[in-house]
Amino acid sequence: MAHPPSASTTRKTLTLALQGGGAHGAFTWGVLDRLLQEPRLDVDAVSGTSAGAMNAVCLAEGLGLHGHTPKGKAAAREALERFWMRMADTALLSPLKRTPLAAWLGDWSMSDNLGYWMGELLSKTMSPYQWNPLDINPLREVVEDCIDFDAVRSCSGVGIFITATNVHTGRPRVFKAEEVGLDQVMASACLPHLFQAVEIDGVPHWDGGYMGNPSLWPLIYMAQARDILLVQINPLIRKETPKTSQEILNRMNEITFNASLLKEMRAINFVTRLLDEGALDENRYKRMFIHAIEAESELKPLGASSKMNADRDFFLHLRDIGQKSAEEWLATKFDRVGVESTVNIQETYM
């Protein structure tokens, strides 16, 4: 049920959980841009994976330099915009662009792009150690140039948690703010069929989405706020049965990258139910309130190939959707922060 906007000026604090999703991470940029303009809201901690990790370090850079001040929030907004616009500039010379027909039809996907399909074929027949022996990754240069990691590591007022997957153990590796640098962020976004594993302390790491997209447990155990706001990019439900090989692969990837999130949500729901029944001590176990900002009606039709679309207009389109979605959430759900969950975990994630 929708709730009217509140005239209350009470400040509230929550944590942010930022999913990965390639170019669709620009939706999260829009969400964060609007939340950072909300004077009633502070962020206690951020957990991010892949594109969510990049958004997280942009946020941390601004807040690390100036704290939870208007100047700090403005600096975080500037860091986010700088990163996404630099991404768009870097892609200007890329062969991965929409065809003129797709642009004319308003289709943001790359499914008609020859370069996209050649890349798909190459990644299925050769490893990145073979076709990219020098491990060239333009994204690495963008992240290095755009992010002040000294500021990120000094972000003491906001907990930062970046997840990558340990290739040797298959377990998630969560890096805290003081550990976060270029390698940690690149490891969190390392898709193994596209890039060589990122070695950290001699251990190879892949995309964090396999084991935590994003990881929620650091927000429970290593942050004070009880409220988690999930910025959700990857669709949970698709009612259509995938028939083509590409549709099947895309749906497999969505299921894989949502699996850890579903598992953690079930655990939160289980503990909440036991607390409600009085079976657990409220002084020992933390009751969590779960919230979510998503735009499935706009993001679901885009298709997986659009996650490779680094067109400036596409980023701005997604940013605008994110801003609108955050505005709607603030208007209808903000008053319930600190009071109750605004997501029915049982219905949504189980």
Side-chain angles (χ1 to χ4, degrees):
M1 182 177 69
H3 292 252
S6 171
S8 170
T9 58
T10 302
R11 294 176 72 91
K12 298 191 177 187
T13 302
L14 48 68
T15 62
L16 295 171
L18 311 181
Q19 279 198 322
H24 293 188
F27 167 79
T28 303
W29 165 30
V31 170
L32 297 178
D33 186 73
R34 176 60 188 91
L35 295 181
L36 286 164
Q37 297 177 68
E38 180 53 59
R40 300 172 297 167
L41 183 65
D42 287 328
V43 176
D44 181 30
V46 186
S47 177
T49 296
S50 198
M54 294 171 193
N55 282 315
V57 294
C58 288
L59 180 74
E61 177 183 320
L63 299 182
L65 289 170
H66 305 290
H68 279 101
T69 64
K71 187 174 183 180
K73 293 182 177 182
R77 292 180 62 208
E78 291 170 3
L80 284 159
E81 181 174 10
R82 182 174 67 248
F83 172 76
W84 286 100
M85 291 300 93
R86 174 64 187 279
M87 284 279 290
D89 290 343
T90 301
L92 287 174
L93 300 178
S94 170
L96 291 178
K97 297 182 183 297
R98 289 186 296 166
T99 63
L101 177 60
W104 183 71
L105 293 172
D107 182 2
W108 296 106
S109 76
M110 311 289 283
S111 56
D112 293 333
N113 181 283
L114 180 60
Y116 172 79
W117 285 108
M118 288 180 65
E120 286 287 295
L121 179 62
L122 191 63
S123 68
K124 289 178 174 61
T125 56
M126 300 176 67
S127 86
Y129 293 87
Q130 296 170 311
W131 60 264
N132 187 11
L134 299 179
D135 198 23
I136 297 171
N137 185 350
L139 178 58
R140 186 179 184 90
E141 182 179 345
V142 173
V143 175
E144 185 174 22
D145 288 348
C146 287
I147 306 299
D148 180 351
F149 282 103
D150 287 334
V152 173
R153 287 187 286 269
S154 69
C155 188
S156 58
V158 179
I160 303 297
F161 307 103
I162 303 301
T163 301
T165 299
N166 184 316
V167 178
H168 288 169
T169 66
R171 296 174 181 173
R173 171 73 187 275
V174 176
F175 300 97
K176 301 177 186 177
E178 61 270 20
E179 302 173 294
V180 173
L182 178 61
D183 284 342
Q184 286 72 22
V185 174
M186 296 309 300
S188 184
C190 179
L191 290 170
H193 62 287
L194 295 180
F195 305 110
Q196 296 180 26
V198 178
E199 289 204 2
I200 300 172
D201 299 326
V203 178
H205 291 79
W206 283 339
D207 195 294
Y210 294 108
M211 297 306 297
N213 191 25
S215 294
L216 301 184
W217 61 265
L219 302 178
I220 299 172
Y221 296 107
M222 291 183 269
Q224 295 298 315
R226 292 178 179 269
D227 293 78
I228 296 176
L229 174 56
L230 170 67
V231 182
Q232 190 165 324
I233 294 177
N234 299 295
L236 290 170
I237 298 173
R238 286 191 186 272
K239 295 184 178 179
E240 309 84 3
T241 302
K243 299 290 181 65
T244 68
S245 61
Q246 192 63 34
E247 288 172 346
I248 292 170
L249 181 61
N250 291 343
R251 188 54 184 155
M252 287 173 58
N253 287 336
E254 286 177 346
I255 292 171
T256 299
F257 281 95
N258 278 324
S260 60
L261 173 66
L262 295 175
K263 182 178 180 180
E264 290 196 88
M265 285 295 190
R266 292 187 187 108
I268 292 171
N269 184 70
F270 178 66
V271 171
T272 300
R273 182 162 55 83
L274 292 179
L275 287 169
D276 289 341
E277 295 171 354
L280 293 178
D281 184 353
E282 293 256 11
N283 294 319
R284 293 187 60 194
Y285 294 88
K286 189 175 180 181
R287 181 183 294 275
M288 302 302 300
F289 302 128
I290 305 300
H291 316 274
I293 295 178
E294 49 83 23
E296 277 210 357
S297 60
E298 288 93 349
L299 297 183
K300 188 184 291 185
L302 293 175
S305 68
S306 66
K307 292 181 178 181
M308 302 291 289
N309 184 353
D311 182 85
R312 176 185 293 264
D313 289 340
F314 186 45
F315 287 162
L316 294 176
H317 171 68
L318 291 170
R319 180 205 61 185
D320 292 347
I321 295 173
Q323 290 173 331
K324 179 182 176 183
S325 300
E327 182 68 42
E328 292 174 353
W329 183 84
L330 288 167
T332 60
K333 306 290 177 61
F334 179 80
D335 283 354
R336 295 159 69 185
V337 172
V339 178
E340 62 182 354
S341 293
T342 55
V343 169
N344 187 320
I345 299 178
Q346 187 80 25
E347 292 181 0
T348 307
Y349 299 103
M350 300 182 67

